[in-house]
Amino acid sequence: MKFSKIKDNDIANGLGITMSLWTQGCPHHCKGCFNGETWDFESGKVFTEDDLDYIMKNINKNSVQRDLSILGGEPLCPENVDGVIEVCEKFKAKFPSKKISMWTGYIVEDFTEKQKEVLKYLDVLVDGPFQQENRNLSLAMRGSSNQRVIDVKKSLTENKIVLFEV
Ligand code: SF4
């Protein structure tokens, strides 16, 4: 898995204050993407145990209670999905009450079996590609109206897509 940056304090992406992990590499190439520098799979840094340690040690830095947001790039493309699942698994094992929000350009109904493995660790999933023709800056947690903010825990329990109340 590769990443472009870890942002310690993010109030723009997620629920409240989050630490944000930006994965590197995206196959979707959405027209109007706000984050084109994360497309290149040759760019960014390889995510290591030291980077995971950094997240674990700093998630509550200065007594600020942060949740975790994972964005991209594309966290769930074949190049990143294994590493992202491992991060989510280890993070939730250590911080079970903290929420994980994730953004993906894939649509959850089309997830591969591998991609589905991440769902049990997520609280919020924003799915679908950014669509410039549906761009709407007033929407919470998403850039275009085709994207959905999914309550993953409720969706798994009820076995249907339940949208998150934002
Ligand atoms: S999925 Fe996200 S990062 Fe990838 S091209 Fe679309 S908007 Fe950009």
Side-chain angles (χ1 to χ4, degrees), residues 3 10 27 51-52 62 69-70 80 102 111 130:
F3 73 110
D10 193 344
D51 299 309
L52 182 58
N62 298 332
S69 290
I70 303 179
N80 289 330
M102 182 176 289
F111 273 15
F130 171 75

mmCIF file of all heavy atoms in Angstrom, residues 3 10 27 51-52 62 69-70 80 102 111 130:
data_model
loop_
_atom_site.group_PDB
_atom_site.id
_atom_site.type_symbol
_atom_site.label_atom_id
_atom_site.label_comp_id
_atom_site.label_asym_id
_atom_site.label_seq_id
_atom_site.Cartn_x
_atom_site.Cartn_y
_atom_site.Cartn_z
ATOM 1 N N PHE A 3 0.974 5.645 0.248
ATOM 2 C CA PHE A 3 0.191 6.773 0.735
ATOM 3 C C PHE A 3 0.895 8.075 0.379
ATOM 4 O O PHE A 3 2.100 8.093 0.114
ATOM 5 C CB PHE A 3 -0.050 6.666 2.248
ATOM 6 C CG PHE A 3 1.146 6.957 3.108
ATOM 7 C CD1 PHE A 3 1.198 8.109 3.881
ATOM 8 C CD2 PHE A 3 2.220 6.086 3.155
ATOM 9 C CE1 PHE A 3 2.299 8.388 4.684
ATOM 10 C CE2 PHE A 3 3.333 6.346 3.956
ATOM 11 C CZ PHE A 3 3.363 7.496 4.713
ATOM 12 N N ASP A 10 -7.623 16.904 10.988
ATOM 13 C CA ASP A 10 -8.405 17.192 9.791
ATOM 14 C C ASP A 10 -9.847 17.436 10.233
ATOM 15 O O ASP A 10 -10.446 16.595 10.897
ATOM 16 C CB ASP A 10 -8.317 15.986 8.842
ATOM 17 C CG ASP A 10 -8.818 16.307 7.444
ATOM 18 O OD1 ASP A 10 -9.508 17.327 7.281
ATOM 19 O OD2 ASP A 10 -8.527 15.529 6.517
ATOM 20 N N PRO A 27 -7.240 4.439 -9.845
ATOM 21 C CA PRO A 27 -7.516 4.015 -11.215
ATOM 22 C C PRO A 27 -8.734 4.707 -11.833
ATOM 23 O O PRO A 27 -9.012 4.508 -13.005
ATOM 24 C CB PRO A 27 -7.801 2.519 -11.052
ATOM 25 C CG PRO A 27 -8.438 2.416 -9.694
ATOM 26 C CD PRO A 27 -7.804 3.493 -8.856
ATOM 27 N N ASP A 51 4.752 3.833 9.977
ATOM 28 C CA ASP A 51 3.627 4.742 9.700
ATOM 29 C C ASP A 51 2.391 4.335 10.509
ATOM 30 O O ASP A 51 1.662 5.195 11.009
ATOM 31 C CB ASP A 51 3.310 4.749 8.195
ATOM 32 C CG ASP A 51 4.491 5.244 7.383
ATOM 33 O OD1 ASP A 51 5.020 6.319 7.718
ATOM 34 O OD2 ASP A 51 4.890 4.543 6.440
ATOM 35 N N LEU A 52 2.174 3.027 10.624
ATOM 36 C CA LEU A 52 1.055 2.568 11.442
ATOM 37 C C LEU A 52 1.289 2.944 12.909
ATOM 38 O O LEU A 52 0.376 3.414 13.596
ATOM 39 C CB LEU A 52 0.883 1.053 11.297
ATOM 40 C CG LEU A 52 -0.290 0.449 12.063
ATOM 41 C CD1 LEU A 52 -1.622 1.084 11.657
ATOM 42 C CD2 LEU A 52 -0.352 -1.057 11.851
ATOM 43 N N ASN A 62 -1.954 15.259 22.303
ATOM 44 C CA ASN A 62 -2.390 16.492 22.981
ATOM 45 C C ASN A 62 -3.814 16.363 23.525
ATOM 46 O O ASN A 62 -4.550 17.345 23.604
ATOM 47 C CB ASN A 62 -2.292 17.703 22.043
ATOM 48 C CG ASN A 62 -0.861 17.946 21.593
ATOM 49 O OD1 ASN A 62 0.083 17.614 22.307
ATOM 50 N ND2 ASN A 62 -0.685 18.497 20.414
ATOM 51 N N SER A 69 -9.840 8.816 9.293
ATOM 52 C CA SER A 69 -10.403 8.893 7.940
ATOM 53 C C SER A 69 -9.384 8.338 6.956
ATOM 54 O O SER A 69 -8.180 8.624 7.067
ATOM 55 C CB SER A 69 -10.721 10.346 7.562
ATOM 56 O OG SER A 69 -11.809 10.825 8.315
ATOM 57 N N ILE A 70 -9.855 7.549 6.002
ATOM 58 C CA ILE A 70 -8.960 6.973 4.987
ATOM 59 C C ILE A 70 -9.495 7.375 3.618
ATOM 60 O O ILE A 70 -10.618 7.014 3.238
ATOM 61 C CB ILE A 70 -8.857 5.442 5.122
ATOM 62 C CG1 ILE A 70 -8.381 5.075 6.534
ATOM 63 C CG2 ILE A 70 -7.900 4.879 4.064
ATOM 64 C CD1 ILE A 70 -8.256 3.575 6.797
ATOM 65 N N ASN A 80 -3.753 -1.234 -3.104
ATOM 66 C CA ASN A 80 -3.824 -0.687 -1.740
ATOM 67 C C ASN A 80 -4.690 -1.494 -0.783
ATOM 68 O O ASN A 80 -4.586 -1.329 0.433
ATOM 69 C CB ASN A 80 -4.375 0.752 -1.793
ATOM 70 C CG ASN A 80 -3.384 1.734 -2.397
ATOM 71 O OD1 ASN A 80 -2.167 1.549 -2.291
ATOM 72 N ND2 ASN A 80 -3.883 2.776 -3.038
ATOM 73 N N MET A 102 -14.277 6.031 5.417
ATOM 74 C CA MET A 102 -13.479 5.762 4.218
ATOM 75 C C MET A 102 -14.198 6.295 2.980
ATOM 76 O O MET A 102 -15.431 6.273 2.907
ATOM 77 C CB MET A 102 -13.248 4.255 4.073
ATOM 78 C CG MET A 102 -12.372 3.880 2.876
ATOM 79 S SD MET A 102 -12.028 2.101 2.836
ATOM 80 C CE MET A 102 -10.925 1.960 4.233
ATOM 81 N N PHE A 111 -18.359 -4.417 -4.972
ATOM 82 C CA PHE A 111 -17.117 -4.780 -4.286
ATOM 83 C C PHE A 111 -16.744 -6.237 -4.582
ATOM 84 O O PHE A 111 -17.613 -7.125 -4.635
ATOM 85 C CB PHE A 111 -17.286 -4.638 -2.765
ATOM 86 C CG PHE A 111 -16.993 -3.265 -2.220
ATOM 87 C CD1 PHE A 111 -16.904 -2.160 -3.046
ATOM 88 C CD2 PHE A 111 -16.792 -3.077 -0.856
ATOM 89 C CE1 PHE A 111 -16.646 -0.888 -2.533
ATOM 90 C CE2 PHE A 111 -16.534 -1.818 -0.328
ATOM 91 C CZ PHE A 111 -16.456 -0.728 -1.176
ATOM 92 N N PHE A 130 -16.484 10.549 -8.116
ATOM 93 C CA PHE A 130 -16.917 11.944 -8.210
ATOM 94 C C PHE A 130 -17.422 12.186 -9.624
ATOM 95 O O PHE A 130 -16.766 11.829 -10.603
ATOM 96 C CB PHE A 130 -15.745 12.883 -7.905
ATOM 97 C CG PHE A 130 -16.064 14.315 -8.186
ATOM 98 C CD1 PHE A 130 -16.888 15.031 -7.331
ATOM 99 C CD2 PHE A 130 -15.570 14.945 -9.319
ATOM 100 C CE1 PHE A 130 -17.201 16.349 -7.602
ATOM 101 C CE2 PHE A 130 -15.881 16.270 -9.599
ATOM 102 C CZ PHE A 130 -16.699 16.976 -8.737
#
